[in-house]
Amino acid sequence: MATAVIIKHPNSGMIKIGYYGFSWTYLFFGWFVPLFRGELGVAALHMLFSIITLGLWQVIVAFLYNRQYMTRMFMTGWVLADSEGNNEMAAQRLGVVLPKRGRK
Protein backbone atom coordinates (compact mmCIF):
# COMPACT_ATOMS: atom_id res chain seq x y z
CA MET A 1 0.00 0.00 0.00
CA ALA A 2 1.28 3.45 -0.86
CA THR A 3 2.40 5.76 1.91
CA ALA A 4 2.16 9.53 1.52
CA VAL A 5 5.09 11.87 2.14
CA ILE A 6 5.24 15.64 1.68
CA ILE A 7 7.71 16.92 -0.92
CA LYS A 8 8.71 20.52 -1.58
CA HIS A 9 10.45 22.37 -4.38
CA PRO A 10 12.98 24.63 -2.63
CA ASN A 11 13.15 27.25 -5.42
CA SER A 12 9.42 27.83 -5.83
CA GLY A 13 8.23 26.78 -2.36
CA MET A 14 5.56 24.61 -3.99
CA ILE A 15 4.43 21.63 -1.92
CA LYS A 16 3.03 18.30 -3.19
CA ILE A 17 2.22 14.92 -1.78
CA GLY A 18 4.42 12.11 -3.04
CA TYR A 19 3.95 8.40 -2.47
CA TYR A 20 6.09 5.33 -2.06
CA GLY A 21 5.12 1.67 -2.07
CA PHE A 22 2.58 -0.30 -4.11
CA SER A 23 0.23 1.89 -6.16
CA TRP A 24 -3.36 0.66 -6.05
CA THR A 25 -4.31 3.79 -7.96
CA TYR A 26 -2.05 2.78 -10.85
CA LEU A 27 -3.33 -0.80 -10.73
CA PHE A 28 -6.92 0.35 -11.23
CA PHE A 29 -6.47 3.47 -13.37
CA GLY A 30 -3.20 2.76 -15.20
CA TRP A 31 -1.86 5.48 -17.46
CA PHE A 32 -4.42 7.99 -16.18
CA VAL A 33 -2.31 8.38 -13.01
CA PRO A 34 0.70 10.00 -14.74
CA LEU A 35 -1.72 11.97 -16.90
CA PHE A 36 -3.42 13.50 -13.84
CA ARG A 37 -0.02 14.15 -12.23
CA GLY A 38 0.96 16.22 -15.27
CA GLU A 39 3.40 13.76 -16.84
CA LEU A 40 2.00 13.72 -20.37
CA GLY A 41 4.94 11.94 -22.02
CA VAL A 42 5.02 9.24 -19.37
CA ALA A 43 1.23 8.81 -19.66
CA ALA A 44 1.49 8.38 -23.44
CA LEU A 45 4.22 5.74 -23.11
CA HIS A 46 2.32 3.88 -20.40
CA MET A 47 -0.86 3.91 -22.50
CA LEU A 48 1.08 2.48 -25.46
CA PHE A 49 2.70 -0.24 -23.33
CA SER A 50 -0.65 -1.11 -21.71
CA ILE A 51 -2.23 -1.56 -25.14
CA ILE A 52 0.67 -3.62 -26.50
CA THR A 53 0.76 -5.95 -23.45
CA LEU A 54 -3.05 -6.15 -23.12
CA GLY A 55 -2.92 -4.70 -19.59
CA LEU A 56 -0.07 -6.79 -18.16
CA TRP A 57 2.07 -3.63 -18.08
CA GLN A 58 -0.44 -2.05 -15.69
CA VAL A 59 -0.11 -4.90 -13.19
CA ILE A 60 3.69 -4.87 -13.23
CA VAL A 61 4.08 -1.09 -13.05
CA ALA A 62 1.73 -0.85 -10.05
CA PHE A 63 4.70 -2.17 -8.04
CA LEU A 64 7.12 0.35 -9.58
CA TYR A 65 5.25 3.55 -10.42
CA ASN A 66 5.46 5.47 -7.14
CA ARG A 67 9.21 4.91 -6.89
CA GLN A 68 9.70 6.01 -10.51
CA TYR A 69 7.55 9.10 -9.97
CA MET A 70 9.44 10.10 -6.83
CA THR A 71 12.77 9.56 -8.59
CA ARG A 72 11.66 11.91 -11.38
CA MET A 73 10.60 14.48 -8.77
CA PHE A 74 13.97 14.27 -6.97
CA MET A 75 15.82 14.68 -10.27
CA THR A 76 13.93 17.92 -10.93
CA GLY A 77 14.85 19.42 -7.56
CA TRP A 78 12.06 18.32 -5.20
CA VAL A 79 13.08 17.30 -1.68
CA LEU A 80 11.41 15.42 1.16
CA ALA A 81 9.71 17.92 3.48
CA ASP A 82 7.71 15.80 5.93
CA SER A 83 8.54 15.03 9.56
CA GLU A 84 12.01 13.64 10.23
CA GLY A 85 10.67 10.12 10.83
CA ASN A 86 8.56 10.09 7.67
CA ASN A 87 11.47 11.48 5.64
CA GLU A 88 13.79 8.76 6.94
CA MET A 89 11.28 6.00 6.17
CA ALA A 90 10.60 7.36 2.68
CA ALA A 91 14.31 7.78 1.96
CA GLN A 92 15.00 4.23 3.07
CA ARG A 93 12.18 2.75 0.96
CA LEU A 94 13.08 4.87 -2.08
CA GLY A 95 16.83 4.32 -1.78
CA VAL A 96 17.61 8.03 -1.30
CA VAL A 97 20.36 9.42 0.91
CA LEU A 98 19.20 12.32 3.05
CA PRO A 99 21.59 15.23 3.59
CA LYS A 100 23.18 15.36 7.04
CA ARG A 101 21.90 18.15 9.25
CA GLY A 102 24.50 20.12 11.16
CA ARG A 103 24.13 20.96 14.81
CA LYS A 104 23.15 24.49 15.74
Side-chain angles (χ1 to χ4, degrees), residues 51-100:
I51 291 169
I52 290 171
T53 64
L54 303 174
L56 181 60
W57 171 263
Q58 194 164 315
V59 174
I60 294 168
V61 174
F63 290 95
L64 307 171
Y65 180 72
N66 284 330
R67 183 184 188 120
Q68 291 174 348
Y69 174 74
M70 290 296 287
T71 299
R72 286 190 295 274
M73 298 308 286
F74 293 146
M75 290 180 70
T76 57
W78 292 80
V79 294
L80 294 168
D82 212 318
S83 68
E84 191 171 325
N86 288 346
N87 286 348
E88 288 177 10
M89 179 60 86
Q92 179 184 5
R93 294 280 308 274
L94 293 168
V96 176
V97 177
L98 292 176
K100 300 276 185 194

